[in-house]
């Protein structure tokens, strides 16, 4: 099999990006984080002063914005350069305001259709580890391996909190926990491409499991899949 696709899905801060990037590095595959695309659309909506509740306006914008995710040219801890219509928005897409609105924006059909199409085009080249919410269920239902990372909301909020402190961003644990729960709630209950494990996904519980161990488990699954 010359074109391998690995799908990693799971709720907010379940470790998808950290784990996915390490798996991709070990395999020499492309790592692609689809959450960045939904965050970039949300940022565009906010920057233009569009009300995120306006489905038509938001969907239309999603079809016209140009999102590029490129290897980093600046070394400030970023994993990639995120460009929105050519402008660097790498850290802006991580803002609290984006996180508060991204799940509503991501629930719209027009937004999902536009993003899914681009993700399929990128994944089509093969040898990719793609992470998100609906990669195994919708974007690549024929993926060679599907992983669903799970962890308690408290554990995930703790991880996000540590990550923010590490970056020197002021954060409040309770606020992060509430916003994590709220995002999961919307992502799981939306009509289109809700967050859930694919029937053929391997579910990994990651509370108290070190990243290296999760990576090893996935590498073993890849070898077993042959
Ligand atoms: O993974 P991340 O936390 O960056 O994702 C941000 C948001 O983007 C999620 O809460 C979800 O609403 C949306 N998303 C999605 N489908 C994906 C990836 C992300 O709906 N494949």
């Amino acid at each position: 099999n010359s074109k391998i696709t690995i799908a990693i899905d799971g709720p907010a801060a379940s470790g998808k990006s950290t784990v996915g990037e390490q798996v991709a590095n070990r395999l020499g595959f492309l790592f692609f984080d689809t959450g960045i695309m939904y965050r970039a659309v949300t940022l565009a909506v906010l920057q233009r002063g569009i009300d995120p509740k306006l489905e038509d306006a938001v969907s239309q914008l999603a079809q016209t914005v140009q999102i590029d995710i490129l290897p980093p040219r600046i070394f400030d801890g970023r994993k990639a350069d995120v460009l929105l219509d050519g402008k660097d928005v790498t850290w802006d897409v991580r803002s609290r305001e984006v996180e508060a609105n991204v799940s509503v924006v991501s629930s719209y059909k027009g937004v999902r259709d536009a993003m899914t199409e681009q993700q399929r085009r990128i994944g089509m080249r093969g040898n990719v580890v793609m992470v998100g919410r609906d990669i195994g269920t919708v974007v690549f239902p024929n993926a060679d391996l599907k992983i669903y990372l799970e962890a308690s909301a408290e554990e995930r909020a703790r991880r996000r909190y540590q990550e923010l402190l590490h970056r020197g961003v002021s954060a409040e644990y309770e606020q992060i926990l509430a916003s994590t729960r709220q995002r999961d709630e919307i992502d799981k209950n939306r009509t289109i491409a809700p967050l859930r494990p694919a029937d053929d996904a391997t579910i990994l519980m990651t509370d108290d499991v070190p990243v290296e161990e999760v990576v090893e488990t996935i590498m073993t699954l890849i070898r077993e899949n042959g």
Side-chain angles (χ1 to χ4, degrees):
N1 197 344
S2 58
K3 280 188 177 182
I4 293 171
T5 306
I6 297 171
I8 305 181
D9 291 301
S14 55
K16 304 181 297 291
S17 303
T18 310
V19 166
E21 195 179 27
Q22 292 192 19
V23 169
N25 283 343
R26 293 247 209 136
L27 296 166
F29 282 17
L30 172 74
F31 168 72
F32 194 84
D33 179 357
T34 60
I36 293 175
M37 300 185 76
Y38 291 95
R39 287 169 179 268
V41 173
T42 305
L43 180 66
V45 167
L46 297 171
Q47 282 179 345
R48 283 167 175 74
I50 297 170
D51 182 346
K53 291 193 198 73
L54 299 176
E55 177 163 1
D56 289 345
V58 170
S59 298
Q60 208 162 34
L61 181 59
Q63 278 144 31
T64 56
V65 289
Q66 171 76 27
I67 302 162
D68 294 296
I69 304 171
L70 306 169
R73 287 168 303 182
I74 299 172
F75 298 95
D76 58 356
R78 62 180 61 193
K79 290 174 178 170
D81 279 355
V82 183
L83 306 184
L84 175 61
D85 293 325
K87 229 183 112 240
D88 189 321
V89 295
T90 308
W91 296 114
D92 305 87
V93 299
R94 300 277 153 207
S95 76
R96 192 182 287 194
E97 212 192 352
V98 166
E99 291 205 346
N101 291 285
V102 66
S103 287
V104 169
V105 167
S106 305
S107 70
Y108 300 143
K109 184 176 189 304
V111 173
R112 302 210 69 81
D113 285 350
M115 299 303 114
T116 301
E117 192 197 316
Q118 295 185 37
Q119 289 157 17
R120 285 191 179 136
R121 203 161 41 220
I122 290 157
M124 216 73 94
R125 296 177 221 154
N127 290 356
V128 62
V129 176
M130 198 170 277
V131 310
R133 300 290 184 294
D134 61 339
I135 310 306
T137 52
V138 174
V139 181
F140 285 109
N142 296 321
D144 300 279
L145 181 68
K146 300 180 187 179
I147 303 291
Y148 189 89
L149 292 185
E150 190 57 279
S152 68
E154 289 79 7
E155 168 70 16
R156 292 184 285 116
R158 238 184 332 266
R159 290 177 191 165
R160 181 57 54 90
Y161 179 69
Q162 291 301 336
E163 184 188 313
L164 290 172
L165 286 192
H166 190 75
R167 254 170 48 204
V169 180
S170 77
E172 254 175 79
Y173 174 78
E174 287 304 329
Q175 187 273 326
I176 294 170
L177 179 61
S179 116
T180 301
R181 284 204 166 115
Q182 190 202 14
R183 238 165 4 111
D184 290 353
E185 187 69 16
I186 303 174
D187 292 345
K188 285 180 179 171
N189 292 305
R190 68 188 176 211
T191 327
I192 309 157
L195 169 64
R196 64 168 182 81
D199 293 335
D200 52 351
T202 301
I203 300 174
L204 301 178
M205 284 297 306
T206 69
D207 281 78
D208 304 316
V209 185
V211 169
E212 306 80 66
E213 206 175 311
V214 180
V215 171
E216 278 310 327
T217 305
I218 296 174
M219 294 304 295
T220 305
L221 286 168
I222 293 167
R223 281 190 288 269
E224 282 170 357
N225 263 9

